[in-house]
Amino acid sequence: KGALVTDASLVQASDIRDVVNLLNAASADAISINNQRIIATSPISSVGTTILVNNSLIAPPFTISAVGDTEIMLQRLLNESLLPEIYARREKSNIVFEIYKKNSLTIPIYNSDLKVNYLNLVEG
């Protein structure tokens, strides 16, 4: 017999976006998700149960890494009122939400397409 998999027991793209937005609000210098560097225009989306970051498929477990002021980031990540859905589903479902503080961390370079819609060459 297999376990019943419901939306409540799956990590959603919106969960990942919530954590990334919280880290950006905490002035993170660099963020990556499963070794995909996040920039201001990075899409984090889903198609069914598949999650895409920078239009690349990522699979669980999802590891979000961030470099910046560790104390501010930890304070916000540990504040359950800022991530209420994630904390509620962690208590009720099988979602694992763990936070680790490291002394050293490497964030990869951005390696996806970089589209610029309004770029003009100005000759001077």
Side-chain angles (χ1 to χ4, degrees), residues 65-68 70 73 100-107:
S65 301
V67 173
T70 307
M73 290 188 297
Y100 300 97
K101 180 179 175 181
K102 295 185 176 185
N103 291 328
S104 177
L105 184 66
T106 301
I107 302 288

Short mmCIF file of all heavy atoms in Angstrom, two decimals, residues 65-68 70 73 100-107:
data_model
loop_
_atom_site.label_atom_id
_atom_site.label_comp_id
_atom_site.label_asym_id
_atom_site.label_seq_id
_atom_site.Cartn_x
_atom_site.Cartn_y
_atom_site.Cartn_z
N SER A 65 19.62 28.07 0.15
CA SER A 65 20.81 28.59 0.82
C SER A 65 20.83 30.10 0.66
O SER A 65 20.43 30.62 -0.38
CB SER A 65 22.07 28.00 0.19
OG SER A 65 22.06 26.59 0.28
N ALA A 66 21.32 30.79 1.69
CA ALA A 66 21.38 32.25 1.63
C ALA A 66 22.62 32.75 2.36
O ALA A 66 23.00 32.20 3.39
CB ALA A 66 20.13 32.86 2.24
N VAL A 67 23.20 33.80 1.81
CA VAL A 67 24.34 34.47 2.41
C VAL A 67 23.88 35.87 2.78
O VAL A 67 23.22 36.54 1.99
CB VAL A 67 25.53 34.54 1.43
CG1 VAL A 67 26.66 35.39 1.99
CG2 VAL A 67 26.01 33.15 1.07
N GLY A 68 24.22 36.30 3.98
CA GLY A 68 23.83 37.64 4.41
C GLY A 68 23.97 37.75 5.91
O GLY A 68 24.72 36.99 6.53
N THR A 70 23.26 36.77 9.11
CA THR A 70 22.70 35.53 9.63
C THR A 70 21.67 35.78 10.73
O THR A 70 20.63 35.12 10.75
CB THR A 70 23.84 34.64 10.18
OG1 THR A 70 24.82 34.49 9.16
CG2 THR A 70 23.33 33.27 10.57
N MET A 73 18.34 37.02 9.20
CA MET A 73 17.69 35.95 8.45
C MET A 73 17.11 34.90 9.39
O MET A 73 15.96 34.46 9.22
CB MET A 73 18.65 35.32 7.44
CG MET A 73 19.00 36.25 6.29
SD MET A 73 19.94 35.47 4.96
CE MET A 73 21.45 35.01 5.78
N TYR A 100 19.54 25.54 9.19
CA TYR A 100 20.91 25.30 9.64
C TYR A 100 21.72 26.58 9.48
O TYR A 100 21.63 27.25 8.46
CB TYR A 100 21.59 24.18 8.83
CG TYR A 100 20.89 22.86 8.92
CD1 TYR A 100 19.99 22.47 7.93
CD2 TYR A 100 21.11 22.00 9.99
CE1 TYR A 100 19.34 21.25 8.01
CE2 TYR A 100 20.46 20.78 10.07
CZ TYR A 100 19.58 20.41 9.07
OH TYR A 100 18.93 19.21 9.16
N LYS A 101 22.52 26.88 10.46
CA LYS A 101 23.44 28.02 10.40
C LYS A 101 24.83 27.47 10.14
O LYS A 101 25.29 26.58 10.85
CB LYS A 101 23.40 28.79 11.72
CG LYS A 101 24.30 29.99 11.76
CD LYS A 101 24.16 30.70 13.11
CE LYS A 101 25.14 31.84 13.23
NZ LYS A 101 25.02 32.52 14.53
N LYS A 102 25.47 27.98 9.09
CA LYS A 102 26.81 27.51 8.75
C LYS A 102 27.79 28.69 8.76
O LYS A 102 27.42 29.82 8.48
CB LYS A 102 26.81 26.87 7.36
CG LYS A 102 25.98 25.61 7.29
CD LYS A 102 26.12 24.95 5.95
CE LYS A 102 25.36 23.62 5.94
NZ LYS A 102 25.58 22.90 4.70
N ASN A 103 29.03 28.38 9.05
CA ASN A 103 30.07 29.42 9.06
C ASN A 103 30.55 29.76 7.67
O ASN A 103 31.06 30.85 7.43
CB ASN A 103 31.26 28.98 9.92
CG ASN A 103 30.89 28.93 11.39
OD1 ASN A 103 30.06 29.70 11.86
ND2 ASN A 103 31.49 27.99 12.11
N SER A 104 30.41 28.81 6.75
CA SER A 104 30.89 29.02 5.38
C SER A 104 29.88 28.43 4.41
O SER A 104 29.37 27.33 4.63
CB SER A 104 32.26 28.35 5.21
OG SER A 104 32.70 28.49 3.89
N LEU A 105 29.61 29.16 3.34
CA LEU A 105 28.62 28.73 2.37
C LEU A 105 28.97 29.31 1.01
O LEU A 105 29.38 30.46 0.91
CB LEU A 105 27.23 29.22 2.80
CG LEU A 105 26.04 28.81 2.00
CD1 LEU A 105 25.82 27.30 2.10
CD2 LEU A 105 24.80 29.53 2.50
N THR A 106 28.85 28.50 -0.02
CA THR A 106 29.10 28.96 -1.38
C THR A 106 27.80 28.95 -2.16
O THR A 106 27.09 27.95 -2.17
CB THR A 106 30.13 28.05 -2.09
OG1 THR A 106 31.33 28.05 -1.33
CG2 THR A 106 30.41 28.53 -3.49
N ILE A 107 27.49 30.06 -2.80
CA ILE A 107 26.30 30.18 -3.65
C ILE A 107 26.80 30.15 -5.09
O ILE A 107 27.71 30.89 -5.45
CB ILE A 107 25.54 31.49 -3.37
CG1 ILE A 107 25.13 31.59 -1.90
CG2 ILE A 107 24.36 31.64 -4.31
CD1 ILE A 107 24.02 30.68 -1.48
#
